[in-house]
Each structure stands twice: as structure tokens, then as C-alpha cells.
């Protein structure tokens, strides 16, 4: 009976793993785990192995399924997208194909009237963000994977509490795993007492979604100024701890119509995190003359674990494959999926100048690698 039961179990899990259409190496690894550790393998798979479906309502993340009042509010961006695609049709083919790929996979429009500033590191980003927050008049929306209750977090918390006292709406989404800790729990309690709406992206007690983390870094001030990139909220980005020489990461400051798309991403995430209705039209103000110098095209790529397509990976693959002269990659962590590794090798072997900048090393890199 035990043999028959194990045989049925293994055939069932094998059929399920094969149906997920994984890479052969991944499929065989999971099958080996299920065979050698039946019960434990099933638990590990539930926590870390599922490719989709663990986040429930987050399918709305990908399609940006906005209610009627926001569809009307954001409608002009569809016209802007069509105008941008007509302009791209007269330009280089790789740019046109990339824009079409992203729109097909994530429904993300190309926005034209934008101003984009590249902030090379935390020393450039944090002062600009703090100045914009201090100048906020209506709303401040922040979303970060890691939010540290350190010197920077305390300073930012005090500024946000003062803005709430002035009548500004402040909403914060943090990831409960990336921001885990007793000090953080006490910090959140103090922030909420000050009137700051601070919500986890998903409750920590939902163990079955433990591996579905929200790594977004978003800030939107008054619906007019946006930030996104690789930097979280933490003093470590300014003064790296033991084992690091410098933390090298990049951020963008946006003004223009792209900020409305960034606000829409936050609106969907806030609704999923808080259970409240999506933000209203008042959170998507019309552009002001100094918001953009355009046309500077911007397209936001929105992806998640239950996306129909691997939008970010496809974007990188298309960019590398379409390169004509050079490829530049800068990232703290460099862990390549097979298709991206092949794309980089093919580009280099065909004469494209390929350069990759990675972090020199640090305590958490040993764990990651």
C-alpha cells in the first residue's frame, strides 16, 4: 500500500510539474526533491516553488484593472500611446518593437510629455525626495521593499508626521519580509499613531505567499512628481556597513504624464494591501506647464509572479538582442537566467561591446550567490 501510494503521489506531482512548462533543469530538481523528501518537498514547493497563483488578487497588478472613474481619468494616455507608436514607426525598428512588446505583455502605454532625471546614488536621491516631500500639498504615496527604522527612517518619519499635521494624505506600502524586525513593528505603530497610513504589501501570516515579495520602489508626490528605481529607504545606502565599500544603485525622478501611470501602479497595490477602493480622480491631477519639457518617452514595465508573461525578462532579452553597438548592465546582484546569459554571450561574440558592473562584494552577497 505504501509503494502504491508513493507511486500515485510521484506520478501526480510529476504530471503537475511538467504541466507548468518549466525549464528541464528546474523540473528535474523539483521532481528529485519530491521523490527524496515527499512531505517536506511539498511544503517547500508551496512556500517557494509555485510559479503563479499565490497572490490572488494581484492579477489586477498586471492588467491595471482600474474602475470606470479612473479609466476615464487615464484615457488620454491611450491617445498619447497611439501618437508615440506612430512616431516610433518612423524611427529605429528595435525601439518600436520594444515598445510594442512591453505594451502587449503589460498593457503599459508609452507616455510622451515627460522629464526624466537620473539620480546616480542615494546621496543624489534622498535629498531630492525629502525636498519634494516637504513641498507636498495634497498627497504623498511611498512604496518600498525595505524600509529601515534607522536614522534615515526616523528623519523621514518625522517629516511625514509633520505633513500629516498640515493636512497632507500620507500612504506607505512596505514589504513585511524586506522590512521585518521588532524595531520596525514599533516604528510602524508610531507612524500610524501620527496619522500615517502604513500597510504591508501582504500580511506576513499568509505563509503560502511567503516567496511572493513586492520589490517595487515607488514615490509619488501630489500626483505630479514620481520616483522609481533600485534604492530602498535605509541609511545603509548612504553609509554601507561592514564588508561593503559603497552601495551603487540608481534611481529616477520623473515629472510628466508617466507619473500618472506610476500613480496607477501604486493605486492598485494600495487597494490590494488595504482592501480600500482605488484612489480617485483627485489623485491624478492634470499636468502643469512645468511638469514636462517633452517629448521624452517613458514606458513603465509592470510585472509580478502571476503575470501572463515574464515582462521584465522579455524586455531585457529584447534590448540585448536588438543592441547594435553596446550593452551596459549595472546591478548589485548578477544572477542570470539561461536565456539572458545566452543573449549576452551571443551579443559579445557577434562584436557588440558588452560591459557588466556588479557590486564588489558584501555580507548578503554570499547568501544570494
Amino acid at each position: 500500500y505504501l509503494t502504491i501510494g508513493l507511486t500515485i503521489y510521484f506520478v501526480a506531482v510529476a504530471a503537475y510539474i511538467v504541466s507548468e512548462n518549466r525549464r528541464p533543469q528546474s523540473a528535474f530538481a523539483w521532481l528529485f526533491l519530491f521523490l527524496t523528501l515527499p512531505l517536506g518537498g511539498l511544503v517547500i514547493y508551496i512556500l517557494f516553488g509555485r510559479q503563479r497563483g499565490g497572490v490572488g488578487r494581484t492579477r489586477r497588478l498586471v492588467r491595471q484593472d482600474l474602475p470606470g472613474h479612473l479609466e476615464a481619468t487615464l484615457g488620454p494616455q491611450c491617445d498619447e500611446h497611439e501618437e508615440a507608436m506612430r512616431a516610433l514607426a518612423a524611427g529605429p525598428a528595435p525601439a518600436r518593437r520594444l515598445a510594442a512588446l512591453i505594451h502587449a505583455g503589460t498593457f503599459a502605454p508609452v507616455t510622451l510629455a515627460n522629464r526624466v532625471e537620473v539620480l546616480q546614488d542615494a546621496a543624489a536621491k534622498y535629498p531630492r525626495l525629502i525636498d519634494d516631500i516637504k513641498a507636498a500639498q495634497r498627497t504623498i504615496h511611498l512604496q518600498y521593499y525595505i524600509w529601515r527604522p534607522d536614522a534615515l527612517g526616523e528623519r523621514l518619519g518625522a517629516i511625514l508626521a509633520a505633513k500629516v499635521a498640515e493636512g497632507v494624505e500620507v500612504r506607505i506600502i512596505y514589504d513585511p519580509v524586506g522590512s521585518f524586525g521588532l524595531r520596525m513593528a514599533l516604528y510602524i505603530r508610531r507612524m500610524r499613531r501620527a496619522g500615517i497610513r502604513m500597510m504591508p504589501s501582504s500580511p506576513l501570516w499568509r505563509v503560502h505567499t511567503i516567496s511572493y515579495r513586492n520589490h517595487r520602489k515607488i514615490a509619488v508626490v501630489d500626483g505630479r512628481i514620481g520616483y522609481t528605481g533600485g534604492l530602498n529607504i535605509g541609511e545603509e545606502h548612504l553609509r554601507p556597513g561592514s564588508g561593503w565599500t559603497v552601495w551603487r544603485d540608481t534611481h529616477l525622478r520623473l515629472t510628466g504624464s508617466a507619473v500618472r501611470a506610476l500613480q496607477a501602479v501604486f493605486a492598485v497595490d494600495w487597494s490590494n494591501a488595504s482592501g480600500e477602493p482605488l484612489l480617485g480622480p483627485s489623485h491624478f491631477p492634470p499636468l502643469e506647464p512645468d511638469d514636462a519639457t517633452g517629448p521624452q518617452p517613458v514606458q513603465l514595465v509592470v510585472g509580478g509572479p502571476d503575470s501572463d508573461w515574464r515582462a521584465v525578462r522579455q524586455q531585457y532579452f529584447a534590448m540585448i538582442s536588438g543592441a547594435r553597438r553596446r550593452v551596459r548592465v549595472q546591478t548589485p546582484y548578477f544572477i542570470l537566467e539561461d536565456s539572458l546569459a545566452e543573449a549576452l554571450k551571443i551579443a559579445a561574440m557577434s562584436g557588440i561591446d558588452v560591459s557588466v558592473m556588479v557590486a564588489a562584494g558584501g555580507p548578503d552577497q554570499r547568501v544570494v550567490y
Side-chain angles (χ1 to χ4, degrees):
Y1 288 133
L2 181 60
T3 302
I4 292 173
L6 287 175
T7 301
I8 294 173
Y9 162 80
F10 184 66
V11 170
V13 297
Y16 182 79
I17 292 295
V18 170
S19 72
E20 289 189 312
N21 198 27
R22 295 172 178 265
R23 292 182 295 113
Q25 301 98 313
S26 173
F28 278 117
W30 281 112
L31 288 174
F32 180 76
L33 181 63
F34 282 128
L35 180 63
T36 57
L37 194 63
L39 183 59
L42 184 61
V43 172
I44 293 172
Y45 177 81
I46 291 173
L47 293 178
F48 302 108
R50 291 171 302 156
Q51 291 185 323
R52 61 178 62 217
V55 197
R57 289 174 295 170
T58 51
R59 186 167 294 279
R60 295 169 56 192
L61 247 65
V62 182
R63 291 186 170 83
Q64 292 298 283
D65 186 13
L66 303 173
H69 69 274
L70 283 190
E71 286 182 357
T73 301
L74 298 173
Q77 291 193 232
C78 297
D79 298 332
E80 195 175 353
H81 172 77
E82 294 302 325
E83 179 187 347
M85 293 304 291
R86 286 193 294 270
L88 287 171
R96 182 177 66 255
R97 290 201 303 267
L98 181 64
L101 168 69
I102 294 171
H103 187 258
T106 69
F107 305 95
V110 179
T111 59
L112 288 174
N114 301 291
R115 179 187 300 158
V116 181
E117 298 177 58
V118 178
L119 306 175
Q120 189 167 340
D121 52 28
K125 180 221 172 172
Y126 290 151
R128 295 298 303 277
L129 176 62
I130 288 173
D131 287 345
D132 287 332
I133 287 175
K134 287 180 176 178
Q137 298 178 349
R138 295 183 299 276
T139 60
I140 299 169
H141 294 153
L142 305 171
Q143 178 175 0
Y144 287 91
Y145 172 64
I146 296 174
W147 189 297
R148 302 287 191 205
D150 54 17
L152 177 66
E154 292 291 350
R155 180 188 177 196
L156 196 53
I159 295 171
L160 293 172
K163 298 307 293 186
V164 169
E166 295 174 10
V168 176
E169 299 176 13
V170 178
R171 297 177 176 88
I172 299 174
I173 304 173
Y174 66 94
D175 188 276
V177 173
S179 306
F180 184 76
L182 177 60
R183 285 184 59 203
M184 187 61 185
L186 299 174
Y187 177 89
I188 293 169
R189 189 177 303 172
R190 286 189 284 112
M191 295 280 275
R192 289 173 175 170
R193 280 203 300 263
I196 297 167
R197 303 293 310 281
M198 196 166 185
M199 300 293 297
S201 54
S202 63
L204 194 57
W205 51 263
R206 289 181 182 168
V207 179
H208 67 290
T209 61
I210 195 71
S211 65
Y212 291 87
R213 309 314 331 143
N214 194 320
H215 279 266
R216 290 180 180 146
K217 292 90 176 171
I218 293 175
V220 182
V221 178
D222 285 341
R224 295 181 52 241
I225 301 170
Y227 289 81
T228 190
L231 289 160
N232 288 289
I233 298 297
E235 194 76 14
E236 62 198 23
H237 297 309
L238 293 169
R239 283 174 280 278
S242 175
W244 291 98
T245 54
V246 64
W247 184 276
R248 174 68 180 86
D249 222 324
T250 309
H251 227 73
L252 299 178
R253 183 182 187 271
L254 306 170
T255 55
S257 53
V259 179
R260 296 163 69 84
L262 201 63
Q263 181 84 302
V265 176
F266 180 89
V268 174
D269 280 357
W270 178 258
S271 178
N272 287 333
S274 67
E276 297 175 357
L278 296 179
L279 307 178
S282 62
H283 297 96
F284 296 82
L287 293 179
E288 296 185 9
D290 60 346
D291 281 341
T293 57
Q296 193 164 4
V298 172
Q299 192 174 20
L300 293 173
V301 185
V302 183
D306 61 350
S307 303
D308 286 339
W309 305 100
R310 300 294 185 261
V312 175
R313 183 175 69 186
Q314 289 179 341
Q315 173 204 6
Y316 288 164
F317 186 87
M319 292 171 68
I320 295 167
S321 301
R324 292 178 294 177
R325 293 184 296 276
R326 67 182 68 89
V327 175
R328 297 286 184 266
V329 179
Q330 183 267 312
T331 174
Y333 309 104
F334 193 60
I335 303 173
L336 287 179
E337 190 269 341
D338 287 349
S339 63
L340 292 181
E342 279 303 307
L344 284 174
K345 288 188 285 186
I346 290 170
M349 293 171 68
S350 61
I352 303 296
D353 178 13
V354 178
S355 298
V356 179
M357 181 196 304
V358 298
D364 65 336
Q365 291 222 328
R366 288 189 292 273
V367 176
V368 172
Y369 285 128

